[in-house]
Amino acid sequence: MLDRLPDTPHPRLWLALFCVLLWLPGFFTIPPGDRDESRFAQATRQMVDTGDYVRIRLGDEERNKKPAGIHWAQAAIVHVLEATHLGGRADIWAYRGASFLGALLAVLACFHWGRALVGRRAAFVGAALLGSALVLVVEVHIAKTDAALLASITAAMGLMGAAYLAPAGFTARRAAAFWGALGIGILLKGPIAPMVPLLTGLSLFLMDRGWRNGTPWLRALRPAWGVPLMLACAAPWFIAIGIATEGRFFAEAVGDDMLGKVGAGGERHWGPPGFYVAIFGVTAFPAAFFVLQALPSAWAQRVQPPVRFLLAWAVPVWLVFEAVATKLPHYALPAYPALMLLAARWMLDPLATKPRAWLRWLAIAALWGVALVLPAALLVAIWLVDGSRVDVFAALALVAGVLLAVVVTREARAGRWVRAGLSAVILAIPFYSAILEGALPRIDAVWLAPRVAAALHRADPALPIPVPPGRFGIAGYHEPSLLFATGGATALLRDGTAAAAFLAETPGRTVAVSDRDETRFRAEATRFGLRPREMGLVSGINISRGRWLTLQLYGVE
């Protein structure tokens, strides 16, 4: 059955089914995460609330870091859900919809254009492996840009691959689609999207000795009018935001955000060169088992145009991200479709070079390591942070991980690579389900923000959520998830002294004060002649800072 699945007459339906089963667990139930997800979601929510789709704001502050493309996509989905009464702007999963659709388009694009590069069967296997990769599964559950960006990059690179392999038959319409996909990518995350084909093109120019043999694929892409088309897709918003912010967007987005990440570890996310190689076994699980063993064969066959294109796609992009000082696991995601297609091509090639024993054992160690260590670490973490509780879902994930590793290793040892690959995808479904739907949403200690909102509602049922301006303030916990849970009008107070002043200023207010600010709050409340009334208590761990926190809600008697 699995051997014949790549020949199905409905490959896109099967791939979509795999993606839904892999990604839906936890999609609706995992609370808003810190920090990027809640920043993006809250900024979009404020767009929807205000109707201002040019400026990006988080609370009262401008958020001049990324273009508005992902916010528009999220806002459009929110409007559709509200019009159909299926969801609303208070639901975090509504904002994750753009990530879900982007990842799905990336998988389907990997298959659609991968057929010309590696054949239909291998393209199916490669796209399925891409959908099961841990880093993409995680990105689907985070309401931000990277899954949608992957869709635009995969589509553009698939079209570029078609131009490289058959430039004579590459039409103007396909060239327009290539540049349009890059224009959408610019609206999503600035220069990252055009950087990928640029690096690929430079690599192909060097590998093919373009100065001697020419570059027919470049002529087929029609850059003379294609580049202006790409820029025209993004120019109206960039002009509008430049006017609206008086140039501050470009100073902060380019100078502070982008260039700051190149030379230094932005937001404490520094990593050494080799970081993405070191974590590849985790981020690409379970597909890393196949990719690692396929790389020697891919390099040996680099004279073949499809393999050469895929290597020119993956390698320079990977090296650039290794060189950039700021590192996060998902940054190397634009190289993943090429790596998955190379792995699938090797899996279906009976004459491909077999890996050395050490590389085979490294791939086995990566597969078994993640299958065992990830759920085991989750078991221990839940025991430590959630009151010595043994989580049955984390235990089930451990069982599912062992089953996945056993089946994939057995099928690979027998040389049944298609079965091994598709078994990995199918058995990843219960593995991810137990973690994302079963274990993570139930770790109460780490989901502070929704518990604060619930405590606030219990303390004052008449207080609407999101809270109106001037009604609720908090000292000692300023994570973006709190803004999403309680609303952008929540006052983020500097310390306990400011909390007491906020409470004293107007009757009917409520404040939440952390244990670290308690002493100063009570001293200042006494000075104001207040008699604070305890209205609720929330304790847990602030995972962004890695420390325990207790928040006490106060009103005034």
Side-chain angles (χ1 to χ4, degrees), residues 281-374:
V282 179
T283 56
F285 173 86
F289 175 77
F290 308 99
V291 176
L292 291 173
Q293 297 185 77
L295 290 178
S297 176
W299 185 252
Q301 297 179 354
R302 62 189 180 277
V303 295
Q304 300 184 21
V307 177
R308 177 173 294 197
F309 176 79
L310 292 171
L311 287 174
W313 173 355
V315 174
V317 170
W318 195 280
L319 292 177
V320 164
F321 284 117
E322 290 285 17
V324 172
T326 300
K327 290 184 171 63
L328 286 170
H330 62 271
Y331 279 5
L333 194 53
Y336 275 51
L339 295 174
M340 301 303 163
L341 292 174
L342 286 171
R345 185 182 187 276
W346 172 80
M347 292 162 65
L348 275 82
D349 184 359
L351 302 178
T353 304
K354 302 303 179 185
R356 294 181 180 271
W358 70 268
L359 191 55
R360 185 169 64 252
W361 283 109
L362 178 63
I364 292 172
L367 179 71
W368 278 88
V370 178
L372 295 178
V373 173
L374 184 60

Side-chain angles (χ1 to χ4, degrees), residues 27 109 134 162 172 176 180 249 259 283 295 298 329 368 381 437 443 467 494 506 538:
F27 185 81
L134 177 59
F249 175 85
L259 296 181
T283 56
L295 290 178
W368 278 88
E437 183 67 36
I443 311 176
V467 296
R494 184 181 66 255
T506 303
V538 177

Side-chain angles (χ1 to χ4, degrees), residues 2 6 23 72 100 116 121 184 201 224 233 236 307 406 408 426 505:
L2 290 181
W23 301 342
W72 292 349
F100 189 101
R121 285 172 56 83
I184 293 172
C233 292
V307 177
V406 167
V408 172
I426 293 170
E505 187 175 337

Side-chain angles (χ1 to χ4, degrees), residues 391-409:
D391 188 83
V392 64
F393 293 102
L396 289 174
L398 184 59
V399 174
V402 171
L403 178 62
L404 184 155
V406 167
V407 172
V408 172
T409 305

